Amino acid sequence: MEKEELKIVNKGLEDEMEISGYRLCRWKLALVGIGVLCTGGFLLLLLYWLPEWCVKGTCTRTSVRDAQVVLLQSTDEFKRWFLAKVRVILAPGRNPFDNLDSQTTLTVANGHGPSGGLIRKAQDLQVIRYFTLHSTKYFWNDTIQNFEVFMKLFFGVNEIAVKVPSVFKLLIKEVLNPFYIFQLFSVILWSADEYYYYAVAIVFMSLISIATSLYTIKKQYIMLHDMVAAHSIVRVSVCRANNEIEETMSTDLVPGDVMIIPTNGIIMPCDAVLISGTCIVNESMLTGESVPVTKTNLPDPGHSVKREAGDSTYSTEEHKRHTLFCGTSVIQTRFYSGEQVKAVVVRTGFSTAKGQLVRSILYPKPTDFKLYRDAYLFLLCLVGVAGIGFVYSIVLSIINHVPAKTIIIESLDIITITVPPALPAAMTAGIVYAQRRLKRIGIFCISPQRINICGQINLVCFDKTGTLTEDGLDLWGIHRAEKGSFYLSEEKVCKEPLVKSQFVACMATCHSLTKIEGELSGDPLDLKMFEATGWILEEATEEETSLHDHIMPTVVRPPKQLLPKSEEELYDLSSSYEIGIVRQFPFSSALQRMTVVARLLGEKRMDAYLKGAPEVVTSLCRKETVPDDFSEVLENYTKQGFRVIALAHRRLESKLTWHKVQNINRDVIETNMEFLGLIVMQNKLKAETPGVLEDLRRANIRTVMVTGDNMLTAISVARDCGMILPEERVIIADAFPPRDGQAATINWRYADNPFLSPFCKLVTDLLEPRVQQQYHFAMNGKSFAVITEHFQDLLQKLVLHGTVFARMAPEQKTELVEALQSVDYFVGMCGDGANDCGALKRAHSGISLSELEASVASPFTSKTPNISCVPSLIREGRAALVTSFCVFKFMALYSIIQYISVTLLYSILSNLGDFQFLFIDIAIILVIVFTMSLNPAWKELVAQRPPSGLISGPLLFSVLTQILICLAFQTFSFLWVKRQSWYDTWTPILDETKGNSFSEVYNETEDDDHNIRNYENTTLFFISSFQYLIVAIVFSKGKPFRQPTYSNCKCSFASYCMYVIVCVPFHWRMMMLFIMLANAAVSALVEVSYSGVDLRGSRCLSWLCCRRNKTPKARYMHLAQELRVDPDWPPKPTTTTEAKTPPSPKNSSSHSLSSS
């Protein structure tokens, strides 16, 4: 067939996939069936492990529209394959997708469920094709000629169904793992060779491993099921036609239903948008932030849910302050007497925020790390070595006329020896121990595989407020303005002359505080600001609310002692001065502001109060009300590291009634404001911050600040905490988007350095070309957005030295992490879990400083509320990574040592015995593997980083040299024993050696079916047993990433016990001991020299491999090399970088420099 155009599902989303259509082919199915019979079922296993082979081997390509089976491949770096069977259902209507939006809108407006309207319009039935993948249904849409998630038509049951598989299903899935299939093959082979004891031991270990794995997996499924099901199915009230209230189960909810939020709160069973009333919600399940948030009703709900409403179309991200997310807890509601708090269901089941979270847990992305990729390559190398031994064994056996059965068994036995069956368990042990050590210091991990990745972190992004600085802000003072000029700054707000000022009224009303069980609760900044006024906040009770036609407002009023004396006398008779908060527009990170509409008691007109970022607030104020020296005053405060918030006020028109205000858009309110002044907050550094950042700097780990605060404040804090050193320059990049036909531009300027004298500044300017490395870039979120869109080639250069990113929206923080990762940084992100969720998830290692024990927003959660957890996590990551290398190298050497022993013995048609294999694998290998992983992390961070992969010069040098040493000493011992005076030549099948006192121990005439009773066997067994101990010790490195081996008491004791047990033969102990000591000395000497190579010798290795001029592998290193010789970088102050042409995908990165 003609090749169909490539189709994409979930385009632009995280789970974007390419899709291809296939139809079942009978003759291919017949051939596969024959192949399965001929291979004894192995082909079936292969098709089970490789879904793309399964589809292509049993089906023929067809269009996606006519497909019976679809094959999907993820477009990310993992390129995973999935197959799904296409099914059909009968749907009402000739084309159920036609006019779906308008149908849904009508049903929402009338309060009916959308399915009813569709069924009434049904003329006939239409066949709809769909497939299910990862708990999501994809339906074929003829309009776009592709499958898509079309939840508006087929809602299904509102349930996040986490099915707990039966033990039998889990057992089958676990047993079909390639590792256990290989073990099954090995056990059958050993049983055929009558190695019953060893086979039984391996079966016993495998059963324990399978049982443990099944128990863990089953337990995780049950825990997830219980967590999801605990509050998923509840009874809810739904508003139907004619305002009839119907009790129903939450599983029957569909998008468009109007549910009533009960006054006593509820765990939300779906995502719903508020259309009336307000709610206090605890969203810690989603964000890790324990502070309750206020959710207000959607502005003008009659239009916002309509698709045809253009800009007012409902968006979950844009309207998240009005959305109640599934799984979050509604603590309090405030409602109308006639119409209680209502919310329209917008998403159900796995489409909800909680459903997507559960899907990410059920179907996690694989961890992409060079170590794991290299591990597979290394195993392939071992398989190659096994292949050589396999051929060698066959040839040798044929030459010696060995029976065919013996040839097959012994040749296949070589493969089972070379590929270590205990490798997965051994690799997991180090991570498990690291996870336990992290838990002891208060760091909880929900993604253990990321611990190893932490060992490679070379850049950490920090949020500022609550992470580098204290959570709480102290009010330093206020700076009021009136009629376009500033007053002198004042320290106290709580005083009589200011009690009736608009400035204090704004501080007392413009917040989202609420009372929960009699205590004020809300954002810490709001709390500190309100407490500074000394005012009292009162909320209406449920009884008071029910007596009024509209929602009773929150009321704030000053205490009696602040009122003028003339009014204080009347205070007990009537509250002469109190303000009711009529409407809230909650703080938005994207808008960087918050607004409230309030009314003073007795006044007819309402007032709007606004607070937010100074730059944003002044842009919404009338120019004549903003002081001329505003920029200078603001800059003075921000340079000192203060957090500055601007206030504004506007008297609203009398035509704006209470009902109109409830449905008005905030843009109508937030205009023509009057500037009131500045609130100056002091945000102190946490005591631990400077020391931790200094430790990271000494370890050559870059630190970056990503904050929503003002840029100059952020730069000041960066200097105070040591992120930017006193002598280093800060270059601010101010980017402006295209306008009036002109291209986008970037203006470069230096931030003033308060630590440098004028003379030092002059010297620094003159020496600028020589100190290019000593500079940092700073920019705000708007500039970052412009640079990302119009200056793509500059973006990577900027993030290479970018240190301060201010006024960053949550999604911009995620984009920054991705930009840093694009130049091959291993990025850590440390935040408080509130606005950093996306960045915490995207980073290689996200650390949330939440008070919760575990946060779903981040792989790691620290109970310690400061950044001291960051170096601890990196140290443990490095220790775990080095342990993984040690264990992998040890397991590889264990296989090769045993491979050498068996290969040498095969040359005389002998082999190791059943109990010898048992002793090596159980008594030596397992004991050493599970104790050598116990070395704790080194006590301090060092500048050196461990290698990220196994395929590196120093590591390969270490492994190969140890293999050669072991080979040399085993070969020497094998040949040396034959030259002894007491040695008698051994012949297979029957041991009849005679001659001296030593041989009398082994020379009794008895059957030797396995050909193991000979001097060569004994010699190689003892030499190899000590070689296992030697390589375990030399590979167990200590400083600079782990504590020394002698500090690991369990491993040292195990090694000593193995020495005592192994060193048995008295007659030739001394000679064997000298060989083993020589082996140990050579191995240790080579490994020590390898450490030197690892520290200093990468240059030598590069020279040996003729790679002196090769560019570094990491992109950021390559960029740094280029910029070091670029005379035009960094940009000079007072210059402008301009995009040459209007932005387009092909040439948006073109730019030029010009003097401004």
Side-chain angles (χ1 to χ4, degrees), residues 332-514:
Q332 284 184 359
T333 62
R334 306 187 64 212
F335 56 90
Y336 304 88
S337 57
E339 304 175 55
Q340 294 186 329
V341 177
K342 297 176 184 177
V344 175
V345 178
V346 290
R347 295 189 301 187
T348 58
F350 277 100
S351 295
T352 62
K354 182 178 178 180
Q356 291 170 2
L357 175 65
V358 173
R359 280 184 63 213
S360 69
I361 297 172
L362 284 173
Y363 314 106
K365 272 193 172 184
T367 305
D368 181 34
F369 191 40
K370 196 170 185 293
L371 170 66
Y372 305 127
R373 298 197 303 270
D374 289 353
Y376 290 117
L377 291 174
F378 211 90
L379 283 176
L380 285 175
C381 293
L382 290 179
V383 170
V385 173
I388 295 171
F390 180 78
V391 174
Y392 165 79
S393 174
I394 292 175
V395 172
L396 191 66
S397 299
I398 292 174
I399 292 172
N400 288 279
H401 307 290
V402 176
K405 178 187 175 183
T406 307
I407 292 175
I408 294 171
I409 291 175
E410 291 189 347
S411 300
L412 292 175
D413 195 30
I414 282 282
I415 297 174
T416 66
I417 289 169
T418 311
V419 182
L423 181 61
M427 293 287 284
T428 305
I431 296 174
V432 171
Y433 294 147
Q435 191 174 5
R436 288 180 181 175
R437 289 195 295 268
L438 286 172
K439 192 172 182 180
R440 285 194 211 109
I441 59 176
I443 299 175
F444 298 90
C445 174
I446 61 172
S447 181
Q449 294 299 325
R450 288 186 183 248
I451 296 176
N452 272 344
I453 301 178
C454 291
Q456 280 296 304
I457 287 177
N458 52 7
L459 184 147
V460 184
C461 296
F462 292 98
D463 182 32
K464 184 179 77 70
T465 307
T467 303
L468 297 174
T469 59
E470 297 287 352
D471 282 319
L473 293 168
D474 296 321
L475 183 69
W476 181 85
I478 61 173
H479 209 145
R480 293 186 299 128
E482 191 174 340
K483 297 179 180 179
S485 61
F486 278 116
Y487 290 106
L488 294 174
S489 61
E490 302 166 83
E491 288 186 16
K492 290 187 178 180
V493 184
C494 185
K495 51 187 178 181
E496 186 177 315
L498 298 179
V499 70
K500 288 190 175 183
S501 67
Q502 295 291 0
F503 190 95
V504 172
C506 185
M507 290 181 66
T509 57
C510 197
H511 53 71
S512 57
L513 300 177
T514 186

Side-chain angles (χ1 to χ4, degrees), residues 619-820:
S619 68
L620 301 172
C621 292
R622 300 194 307 275
K623 288 185 179 180
E624 64 271 16
T625 66
V626 180
D628 295 334
D629 59 344
F630 165 79
S631 299
E632 290 81 2
V633 172
L634 176 63
E635 188 174 349
N636 180 51
Y637 284 126
T638 53
K639 281 181 181 177
Q640 298 177 60
F642 290 115
R643 175 90 178 264
V644 182
I645 299 165
L647 305 183
H649 161 261
R650 177 187 162 199
R651 188 85 161 160
L652 298 180
E653 297 81 3
S654 56
K655 64 180 181 180
L656 284 176
T657 63
W658 186 92
H659 288 287
K660 286 182 179 179
V661 166
Q662 297 306 314
N663 295 319
I664 200 169
N665 194 301
R666 70 186 298 168
D667 293 336
V668 178
I669 299 291
E670 297 169 339
T671 183
N672 293 322
M673 307 291 285
E674 177 188 352
F675 183 74
L676 294 178
L678 304 172
I679 299 175
V680 185
M681 312 289 284
Q682 191 173 22
N683 197 194
K684 296 177 182 177
L685 280 175
K686 290 183 178 178
E688 300 82 5
T689 297
V692 171
L693 294 180
E694 175 62 20
D695 289 343
L696 295 176
R697 190 180 65 80
R698 281 201 302 262
N700 284 342
I701 297 173
R702 267 191 67 192
T703 52
V704 173
M705 184 188 297
V706 193
T707 177
D709 206 347
N710 177 278
M711 188 197 301
L712 294 177
T713 301
I715 293 173
S716 174
V717 172
R719 290 194 183 278
D720 291 343
C721 67
M723 194 175 284
I724 299 174
L725 298 180
E727 68 275 9
E728 294 174 340
R729 284 282 196 180
V730 177
I731 303 172
I732 297 176
D734 293 320
F736 302 96
R739 53 187 170 188
D740 301 330
Q742 296 181 349
T745 57
I746 304 176
N747 293 337
W748 309 96
R749 59 188 174 93
Y750 282 165
D752 288 340
N753 189 342
F755 297 100
L756 290 182
S757 64
F759 175 76
C760 292
K761 290 180 183 180
L762 178 63
V763 172
T764 304
D765 290 338
L766 292 173
L767 297 177
E768 192 63 38
R770 300 182 184 178
V771 289
Q772 281 193 348
Q773 288 79 17
Q774 299 177 3
Y775 63 89
H776 302 263
F777 286 111
M779 68 190 75
N780 58 28
K782 290 181 179 177
S783 296
F784 181 77
V786 172
I787 291 169
T788 303
E789 184 176 356
H790 301 285
F791 298 90
Q792 273 293 325
D793 61 338
L794 280 183
L795 179 62
Q796 292 191 343
K797 295 179 182 180
L798 288 172
V799 297
L800 196 65
H801 285 277
T803 301
V804 176
F805 295 86
R807 297 293 188 214
M808 296 285 277
E811 62 274 9
Q812 288 180 321
K813 293 183 180 182
T814 306
E815 290 173 9
L816 175 63
V817 169
E818 290 173 345
L820 291 165

Side-chain angles (χ1 to χ4, degrees), residues 184-362:
L184 178 63
F185 163 75
S186 302
V187 166
I188 294 171
L189 183 66
W190 295 328
S191 300
D193 202 21
E194 299 180 6
Y195 284 163
Y196 297 120
Y197 293 108
Y198 188 58
V200 168
I202 292 297
V203 168
F204 180 70
M205 288 172 57
S206 298
L207 288 175
I208 292 177
S209 176
I210 290 172
T212 305
S213 181
L214 287 182
Y215 172 77
T216 305
I217 295 171
K218 182 87 172 177
K219 184 180 178 182
Q220 289 174 346
Y221 267 109
I222 291 172
M223 285 177 62
L224 186 59
H225 175 270
D226 292 345
M227 180 189 80
V228 171
H231 306 289
S232 288
I233 303 176
V234 294
R235 185 167 288 279
V236 294
S237 299
V238 179
C239 187
R240 299 299 189 192
N242 302 321
N243 289 326
E244 293 181 4
I245 306 299
E246 177 185 319
E247 293 286 327
T248 184
M249 298 304 294
S250 59
T251 50
D252 297 326
L253 290 173
V254 294
D257 279 343
V258 178
M259 66 177 291
I260 295 173
I261 311 299
T263 57
N264 57 348
I266 187 175
I267 305 290
M268 288 300 296
C270 59
D271 286 357
V273 58
L274 275 172
I275 57 172
S276 65
T278 61
C279 294
I280 310 298
V281 184
N282 183 350
E283 292 188 330
S284 59
M285 191 280 293
L286 289 179
T287 64
E289 177 60 50
S290 56
V291 176
V293 295
T294 301
K295 300 283 185 174
T296 59
N297 62 287
L298 192 70
D300 199 10
H303 296 89
S304 292
V305 293
K306 292 184 181 179
R307 286 275 182 182
E308 58 267 26
D311 294 338
S312 61
T313 301
Y314 170 77
S315 163
T316 306
E317 185 61 33
E318 183 183 346
H319 299 101
K320 63 183 179 181
R321 286 291 185 175
H322 314 292
T323 304
L324 305 174
F325 293 104
C326 180
T328 59
S329 176
V330 177
I331 302 171
Q332 284 184 359
T333 62
R334 306 187 64 212
F335 56 90
Y336 304 88
S337 57
E339 304 175 55
Q340 294 186 329
V341 177
K342 297 176 184 177
V344 175
V345 178
V346 290
R347 295 189 301 187
T348 58
F350 277 100
S351 295
T352 62
K354 182 178 178 180
Q356 291 170 2
L357 175 65
V358 173
R359 280 184 63 213
S360 69
I361 297 172
L362 284 173

Side-chain angles (χ1 to χ4, degrees), residues 24 26 331 385 387 481 633 651 655 664 861 908 984 1071 1151:
L24 291 172
R26 291 183 180 178
I331 302 171
V385 173
V633 172
R651 188 85 161 160
K655 64 180 181 180
I664 200 169
T861 303
I908 60 169
D984 288 334
M1071 290 179 286
H1151 61 275

Side-chain angles (χ1 to χ4, degrees), residues 934-950:
L934 289 171
N935 289 37
W938 186 245
K939 52 193 173 185
E940 61 185 29
L941 276 177
V942 295
Q944 180 194 357
R945 279 192 303 142
S948 60
L950 288 164

